[in-house]
Amino acid sequence: MPAFPEEPIYAQLARIGKALASPVRLRLLDVLDQRERTVEELAQAAEIPLKNTSAQLQQLRAANLVTSRREGTHVHYRLADEGVSRFLGEFQAFADGRLADLREAVRARLGSLEGVTADELAARLSDPGTVVVDVRSAADYAAGHVPGAISVPAAELRDRLAGLPREAEIVAYCGGPYCVVSSEAVRLLREHGFDARPLDGGYLAWRRGEKPLER
């Protein structure tokens, strides 16, 4: 017998909470929010062992947060729909407002660089004094990027500094809200005399804000 009449209803709601109650699954959702990936690609991008990735994906699929398709011998995963993406953004923003420990953990990882918000960048896209640099992989860039952004994968940035304009402010972005790559890119750019700032929240902040994308 249920402990109270509405228990079966709340038990269903708790399925979503259970699916989110894992740092690994939250990480996988953020990575999948950037683009569809095979299980192998997802494990590599999230830096999680392949066997564990597969097991966690099954739990996310059971809660209807992700979906999959098979192509040959590979299984491709993606978020179930845009509603999941919006929910993740709202969930992270809510947690950031409630948890001082979360804010401190983010500062410890990303540092205290002053960034540019997605709204600020959107208003500056037509400004020739702003150059947007996407430091994600070429595959991520091809799947969708900020309009007009230049693809300079982080591993290539040092070798391509000479091709970047020194008279403009460079806004660099990587994947998600906790991705450190763009902060590292900005520090490298500043060390070499560039005026540079990161995009707050990275590509996901741009996409979740329903800003335009190029492919």
Side-chain angles (χ1 to χ4, degrees), residues 3 5 8 10 29 44 47 61-63 69 95 113 121 154 177 180 182:
Y10 286 108
L29 288 169
Q44 182 177 12
E47 301 179 281
R61 186 162 61 177
R69 65 180 180 87
L113 290 172
L121 182 58
V180 74
S182 60

mmCIF file with all atom_site columns, all heavy atoms in Angstrom, residues 3 5 8 10 29 44 47 61-63 69 95 113 121 154 177 180 182:
data_model
loop_
_atom_site.group_PDB
_atom_site.id
_atom_site.type_symbol
_atom_site.label_atom_id
_atom_site.label_alt_id
_atom_site.label_comp_id
_atom_site.label_asym_id
_atom_site.label_entity_id
_atom_site.label_seq_id
_atom_site.pdbx_PDB_ins_code
_atom_site.Cartn_x
_atom_site.Cartn_y
_atom_site.Cartn_z
_atom_site.occupancy
_atom_site.B_iso_or_equiv
_atom_site.pdbx_formal_charge
_atom_site.auth_seq_id
_atom_site.auth_comp_id
_atom_site.auth_asym_id
_atom_site.auth_atom_id
_atom_site.pdbx_PDB_model_num
ATOM 1   N N   . ALA A 1 3   ? 2.312  4.852  0.975   1.00 0.00 ? 3   ALA A N   1
ATOM 2   C CA  . ALA A 1 3   ? 2.398  5.539  2.261   1.00 0.00 ? 3   ALA A CA  1
ATOM 3   C C   . ALA A 1 3   ? 1.400  6.685  2.333   1.00 0.00 ? 3   ALA A C   1
ATOM 4   O O   . ALA A 1 3   ? 0.948  7.050  3.410   1.00 0.00 ? 3   ALA A O   1
ATOM 5   C CB  . ALA A 1 3   ? 3.814  6.069  2.483   1.00 0.00 ? 3   ALA A CB  1
ATOM 6   N N   . PRO A 1 5   ? -1.763 8.781  -0.506  1.00 0.00 ? 5   PRO A N   1
ATOM 7   C CA  . PRO A 1 5   ? -2.473 8.567  -1.770  1.00 0.00 ? 5   PRO A CA  1
ATOM 8   C C   . PRO A 1 5   ? -1.708 9.009  -3.014  1.00 0.00 ? 5   PRO A C   1
ATOM 9   O O   . PRO A 1 5   ? -1.818 8.385  -4.072  1.00 0.00 ? 5   PRO A O   1
ATOM 10  C CB  . PRO A 1 5   ? -3.755 9.395  -1.596  1.00 0.00 ? 5   PRO A CB  1
ATOM 11  C CG  . PRO A 1 5   ? -3.955 9.484  -0.115  1.00 0.00 ? 5   PRO A CG  1
ATOM 12  C CD  . PRO A 1 5   ? -2.586 9.527  0.472   1.00 0.00 ? 5   PRO A CD  1
ATOM 13  N N   . PRO A 1 8   ? 2.307  7.235  -5.725  1.00 0.00 ? 8   PRO A N   1
ATOM 14  C CA  . PRO A 1 8   ? 2.663  6.788  -7.085  1.00 0.00 ? 8   PRO A CA  1
ATOM 15  C C   . PRO A 1 8   ? 3.004  7.943  -8.022  1.00 0.00 ? 8   PRO A C   1
ATOM 16  O O   . PRO A 1 8   ? 3.860  7.799  -8.896  1.00 0.00 ? 8   PRO A O   1
ATOM 17  C CB  . PRO A 1 8   ? 1.409  6.047  -7.548  1.00 0.00 ? 8   PRO A CB  1
ATOM 18  C CG  . PRO A 1 8   ? 0.740  5.594  -6.290  1.00 0.00 ? 8   PRO A CG  1
ATOM 19  C CD  . PRO A 1 8   ? 0.993  6.700  -5.314  1.00 0.00 ? 8   PRO A CD  1
ATOM 20  N N   . TYR A 1 10  ? 4.328  10.951 -7.060  1.00 0.00 ? 10  TYR A N   1
ATOM 21  C CA  . TYR A 1 10  ? 5.638  11.467 -6.681  1.00 0.00 ? 10  TYR A CA  1
ATOM 22  C C   . TYR A 1 10  ? 6.755  10.475 -7.012  1.00 0.00 ? 10  TYR A C   1
ATOM 23  O O   . TYR A 1 10  ? 7.896  10.877 -7.269  1.00 0.00 ? 10  TYR A O   1
ATOM 24  C CB  . TYR A 1 10  ? 5.645  11.833 -5.203  1.00 0.00 ? 10  TYR A CB  1
ATOM 25  C CG  . TYR A 1 10  ? 4.883  13.104 -4.906  1.00 0.00 ? 10  TYR A CG  1
ATOM 26  C CD1 . TYR A 1 10  ? 3.651  13.065 -4.258  1.00 0.00 ? 10  TYR A CD1 1
ATOM 27  C CD2 . TYR A 1 10  ? 5.379  14.338 -5.308  1.00 0.00 ? 10  TYR A CD2 1
ATOM 28  C CE1 . TYR A 1 10  ? 2.937  14.224 -4.007  1.00 0.00 ? 10  TYR A CE1 1
ATOM 29  C CE2 . TYR A 1 10  ? 4.676  15.506 -5.058  1.00 0.00 ? 10  TYR A CE2 1
ATOM 30  C CZ  . TYR A 1 10  ? 3.453  15.447 -4.413  1.00 0.00 ? 10  TYR A CZ  1
ATOM 31  O OH  . TYR A 1 10  ? 2.757  16.608 -4.172  1.00 0.00 ? 10  TYR A OH  1
ATOM 32  N N   . LEU A 1 29  ? 24.972 14.546 -19.945 1.00 0.00 ? 29  LEU A N   1
ATOM 33  C CA  . LEU A 1 29  ? 23.898 15.367 -20.509 1.00 0.00 ? 29  LEU A CA  1
ATOM 34  C C   . LEU A 1 29  ? 24.442 16.661 -21.095 1.00 0.00 ? 29  LEU A C   1
ATOM 35  O O   . LEU A 1 29  ? 24.025 17.101 -22.174 1.00 0.00 ? 29  LEU A O   1
ATOM 36  C CB  . LEU A 1 29  ? 22.842 15.663 -19.440 1.00 0.00 ? 29  LEU A CB  1
ATOM 37  C CG  . LEU A 1 29  ? 21.957 14.485 -19.037 1.00 0.00 ? 29  LEU A CG  1
ATOM 38  C CD1 . LEU A 1 29  ? 21.142 14.840 -17.797 1.00 0.00 ? 29  LEU A CD1 1
ATOM 39  C CD2 . LEU A 1 29  ? 21.032 14.072 -20.179 1.00 0.00 ? 29  LEU A CD2 1
ATOM 40  N N   . GLN A 1 44  ? 34.838 9.459  -24.719 1.00 0.00 ? 44  GLN A N   1
ATOM 41  C CA  . GLN A 1 44  ? 36.075 10.215 -24.895 1.00 0.00 ? 44  GLN A CA  1
ATOM 42  C C   . GLN A 1 44  ? 35.880 11.689 -24.545 1.00 0.00 ? 44  GLN A C   1
ATOM 43  O O   . GLN A 1 44  ? 36.705 12.283 -23.844 1.00 0.00 ? 44  GLN A O   1
ATOM 44  C CB  . GLN A 1 44  ? 36.568 10.082 -26.325 1.00 0.00 ? 44  GLN A CB  1
ATOM 45  C CG  . GLN A 1 44  ? 37.890 10.799 -26.583 1.00 0.00 ? 44  GLN A CG  1
ATOM 46  C CD  . GLN A 1 44  ? 38.383 10.594 -28.003 1.00 0.00 ? 44  GLN A CD  1
ATOM 47  O OE1 . GLN A 1 44  ? 37.674 10.122 -28.876 1.00 0.00 ? 44  GLN A OE1 1
ATOM 48  N NE2 . GLN A 1 44  ? 39.633 10.960 -28.246 1.00 0.00 ? 44  GLN A NE2 1
ATOM 49  N N   . GLU A 1 47  ? 35.414 12.086 -20.890 1.00 0.00 ? 47  GLU A N   1
ATOM 50  C CA  . GLU A 1 47  ? 36.522 11.530 -20.116 1.00 0.00 ? 47  GLU A CA  1
ATOM 51  C C   . GLU A 1 47  ? 36.028 10.551 -19.061 1.00 0.00 ? 47  GLU A C   1
ATOM 52  O O   . GLU A 1 47  ? 36.430 10.599 -17.896 1.00 0.00 ? 47  GLU A O   1
ATOM 53  C CB  . GLU A 1 47  ? 37.357 12.651 -19.489 1.00 0.00 ? 47  GLU A CB  1
ATOM 54  C CG  . GLU A 1 47  ? 37.945 13.618 -20.499 1.00 0.00 ? 47  GLU A CG  1
ATOM 55  C CD  . GLU A 1 47  ? 38.745 14.734 -19.869 1.00 0.00 ? 47  GLU A CD  1
ATOM 56  O OE1 . GLU A 1 47  ? 38.107 15.692 -19.371 1.00 0.00 ? 47  GLU A OE1 1
ATOM 57  O OE2 . GLU A 1 47  ? 39.975 14.638 -19.864 1.00 0.00 ? 47  GLU A OE2 1
ATOM 58  N N   . ARG A 1 61  ? 18.251 7.100  -20.488 1.00 0.00 ? 61  ARG A N   1
ATOM 59  C CA  . ARG A 1 61  ? 17.229 6.730  -21.469 1.00 0.00 ? 61  ARG A CA  1
ATOM 60  C C   . ARG A 1 61  ? 15.962 6.243  -20.772 1.00 0.00 ? 61  ARG A C   1
ATOM 61  O O   . ARG A 1 61  ? 14.851 6.516  -21.235 1.00 0.00 ? 61  ARG A O   1
ATOM 62  C CB  . ARG A 1 61  ? 17.762 5.663  -22.422 1.00 0.00 ? 61  ARG A CB  1
ATOM 63  C CG  . ARG A 1 61  ? 16.787 5.336  -23.554 1.00 0.00 ? 61  ARG A CG  1
ATOM 64  C CD  . ARG A 1 61  ? 17.467 4.635  -24.701 1.00 0.00 ? 61  ARG A CD  1
ATOM 65  N NE  . ARG A 1 61  ? 18.051 3.369  -24.321 1.00 0.00 ? 61  ARG A NE  1
ATOM 66  C CZ  . ARG A 1 61  ? 18.649 2.543  -25.182 1.00 0.00 ? 61  ARG A CZ  1
ATOM 67  N NH1 . ARG A 1 61  ? 18.769 2.882  -26.460 1.00 0.00 ? 61  ARG A NH1 1
ATOM 68  N NH2 . ARG A 1 61  ? 19.157 1.405  -24.781 1.00 0.00 ? 61  ARG A NH2 1
ATOM 69  N N   . ALA A 1 62  ? 16.116 5.546  -19.651 1.00 0.00 ? 62  ALA A N   1
ATOM 70  C CA  . ALA A 1 62  ? 14.950 5.063  -18.907 1.00 0.00 ? 62  ALA A CA  1
ATOM 71  C C   . ALA A 1 62  ? 14.104 6.224  -18.389 1.00 0.00 ? 62  ALA A C   1
ATOM 72  O O   . ALA A 1 62  ? 12.882 6.086  -18.224 1.00 0.00 ? 62  ALA A O   1
ATOM 73  C CB  . ALA A 1 62  ? 15.399 4.180  -17.749 1.00 0.00 ? 62  ALA A CB  1
ATOM 74  N N   . ALA A 1 63  ? 14.737 7.369  -18.158 1.00 0.00 ? 63  ALA A N   1
ATOM 75  C CA  . ALA A 1 63  ? 14.005 8.553  -17.697 1.00 0.00 ? 63  ALA A CA  1
ATOM 76  C C   . ALA A 1 63  ? 13.591 9.454  -18.857 1.00 0.00 ? 63  ALA A C   1
ATOM 77  O O   . ALA A 1 63  ? 13.113 10.574 -18.640 1.00 0.00 ? 63  ALA A O   1
ATOM 78  C CB  . ALA A 1 63  ? 14.872 9.346  -16.715 1.00 0.00 ? 63  ALA A CB  1
ATOM 79  N N   . ARG A 1 69  ? 19.886 6.085  -31.675 1.00 0.00 ? 69  ARG A N   1
ATOM 80  C CA  . ARG A 1 69  ? 19.638 5.459  -32.966 1.00 0.00 ? 69  ARG A CA  1
ATOM 81  C C   . ARG A 1 69  ? 20.859 4.630  -33.318 1.00 0.00 ? 69  ARG A C   1
ATOM 82  O O   . ARG A 1 69  ? 21.987 4.943  -32.921 1.00 0.00 ? 69  ARG A O   1
ATOM 83  C CB  . ARG A 1 69  ? 19.379 6.500  -34.045 1.00 0.00 ? 69  ARG A CB  1
ATOM 84  C CG  . ARG A 1 69  ? 20.562 7.406  -34.354 1.00 0.00 ? 69  ARG A CG  1
ATOM 85  C CD  . ARG A 1 69  ? 20.260 8.417  -35.440 1.00 0.00 ? 69  ARG A CD  1
ATOM 86  N NE  . ARG A 1 69  ? 21.426 9.269  -35.708 1.00 0.00 ? 69  ARG A NE  1
ATOM 87  C CZ  . ARG A 1 69  ? 22.402 8.968  -36.559 1.00 0.00 ? 69  ARG A CZ  1
ATOM 88  N NH1 . ARG A 1 69  ? 22.338 7.821  -37.242 1.00 0.00 ? 69  ARG A NH1 1
ATOM 89  N NH2 . ARG A 1 69  ? 23.425 9.773  -36.746 1.00 0.00 ? 69  ARG A NH2 1
ATOM 90  N N   . ALA A 1 95  ? 20.658 25.991 -9.280  1.00 0.00 ? 95  ALA A N   1
ATOM 91  C CA  . ALA A 1 95  ? 21.646 25.477 -8.336  1.00 0.00 ? 95  ALA A CA  1
ATOM 92  C C   . ALA A 1 95  ? 22.717 26.521 -8.042  1.00 0.00 ? 95  ALA A C   1
ATOM 93  O O   . ALA A 1 95  ? 23.159 26.669 -6.898  1.00 0.00 ? 95  ALA A O   1
ATOM 94  C CB  . ALA A 1 95  ? 22.286 24.206 -8.891  1.00 0.00 ? 95  ALA A CB  1
ATOM 95  N N   . LEU A 1 113 ? 38.199 35.192 -14.421 1.00 0.00 ? 113 LEU A N   1
ATOM 96  C CA  . LEU A 1 113 ? 38.214 36.018 -15.621 1.00 0.00 ? 113 LEU A CA  1
ATOM 97  C C   . LEU A 1 113 ? 36.839 36.632 -15.860 1.00 0.00 ? 113 LEU A C   1
ATOM 98  O O   . LEU A 1 113 ? 35.821 35.944 -15.774 1.00 0.00 ? 113 LEU A O   1
ATOM 99  C CB  . LEU A 1 113 ? 38.609 35.180 -16.845 1.00 0.00 ? 113 LEU A CB  1
ATOM 100 C CG  . LEU A 1 113 ? 40.054 34.700 -16.926 1.00 0.00 ? 113 LEU A CG  1
ATOM 101 C CD1 . LEU A 1 113 ? 40.205 33.727 -18.093 1.00 0.00 ? 113 LEU A CD1 1
ATOM 102 C CD2 . LEU A 1 113 ? 41.005 35.871 -17.084 1.00 0.00 ? 113 LEU A CD2 1
ATOM 103 N N   . LEU A 1 121 ? 27.285 39.281 -26.351 1.00 0.00 ? 121 LEU A N   1
ATOM 104 C CA  . LEU A 1 121 ? 27.928 38.869 -27.597 1.00 0.00 ? 121 LEU A CA  1
ATOM 105 C C   . LEU A 1 121 ? 26.971 38.966 -28.771 1.00 0.00 ? 121 LEU A C   1
ATOM 106 O O   . LEU A 1 121 ? 27.358 39.392 -29.865 1.00 0.00 ? 121 LEU A O   1
ATOM 107 C CB  . LEU A 1 121 ? 28.465 37.440 -27.476 1.00 0.00 ? 121 LEU A CB  1
ATOM 108 C CG  . LEU A 1 121 ? 29.199 36.900 -28.710 1.00 0.00 ? 121 LEU A CG  1
ATOM 109 C CD1 . LEU A 1 121 ? 30.376 37.794 -29.075 1.00 0.00 ? 121 LEU A CD1 1
ATOM 110 C CD2 . LEU A 1 121 ? 29.661 35.471 -28.471 1.00 0.00 ? 121 LEU A CD2 1
ATOM 111 N N   . ALA A 1 154 ? 41.707 24.292 -29.583 1.00 0.00 ? 154 ALA A N   1
ATOM 112 C CA  . ALA A 1 154 ? 42.632 24.716 -28.539 1.00 0.00 ? 154 ALA A CA  1
ATOM 113 C C   . ALA A 1 154 ? 44.057 24.213 -28.775 1.00 0.00 ? 154 ALA A C   1
ATOM 114 O O   . ALA A 1 154 ? 45.020 24.944 -28.523 1.00 0.00 ? 154 ALA A O   1
ATOM 115 C CB  . ALA A 1 154 ? 42.125 24.240 -27.184 1.00 0.00 ? 154 ALA A CB  1
ATOM 116 N N   . PRO A 1 177 ? 29.204 25.143 -19.582 1.00 0.00 ? 177 PRO A N   1
ATOM 117 C CA  . PRO A 1 177 ? 29.394 26.169 -18.552 1.00 0.00 ? 177 PRO A CA  1
ATOM 118 C C   . PRO A 1 177 ? 30.589 25.918 -17.643 1.00 0.00 ? 177 PRO A C   1
ATOM 119 O O   . PRO A 1 177 ? 31.076 26.850 -16.997 1.00 0.00 ? 177 PRO A O   1
ATOM 120 C CB  . PRO A 1 177 ? 28.080 26.129 -17.764 1.00 0.00 ? 177 PRO A CB  1
ATOM 121 C CG  . PRO A 1 177 ? 27.538 24.753 -17.997 1.00 0.00 ? 177 PRO A CG  1
ATOM 122 C CD  . PRO A 1 177 ? 27.947 24.405 -19.397 1.00 0.00 ? 177 PRO A CD  1
ATOM 123 N N   . VAL A 1 180 ? 36.918 24.459 -19.032 1.00 0.00 ? 180 VAL A N   1
ATOM 124 C CA  . VAL A 1 180 ? 38.042 25.334 -18.701 1.00 0.00 ? 180 VAL A CA  1
ATOM 125 C C   . VAL A 1 180 ? 38.852 25.744 -19.928 1.00 0.00 ? 180 VAL A C   1
ATOM 126 O O   . VAL A 1 180 ? 39.699 26.640 -19.857 1.00 0.00 ? 180 VAL A O   1
ATOM 127 C CB  . VAL A 1 180 ? 38.963 24.632 -17.669 1.00 0.00 ? 180 VAL A CB  1
ATOM 128 C CG1 . VAL A 1 180 ? 39.772 23.517 -18.327 1.00 0.00 ? 180 VAL A CG1 1
ATOM 129 C CG2 . VAL A 1 180 ? 39.876 25.626 -16.976 1.00 0.00 ? 180 VAL A CG2 1
ATOM 130 N N   . SER A 1 182 ? 38.263 27.418 -22.728 1.00 0.00 ? 182 SER A N   1
ATOM 131 C CA  . SER A 1 182 ? 38.227 28.808 -23.191 1.00 0.00 ? 182 SER A CA  1
ATOM 132 C C   . SER A 1 182 ? 38.963 29.736 -22.225 1.00 0.00 ? 182 SER A C   1
ATOM 133 O O   . SER A 1 182 ? 39.606 30.701 -22.651 1.00 0.00 ? 182 SER A O   1
ATOM 134 C CB  . SER A 1 182 ? 36.783 29.281 -23.391 1.00 0.00 ? 182 SER A CB  1
ATOM 135 O OG  . SER A 1 182 ? 36.052 29.210 -22.186 1.00 0.00 ? 182 SER A OG  1
#
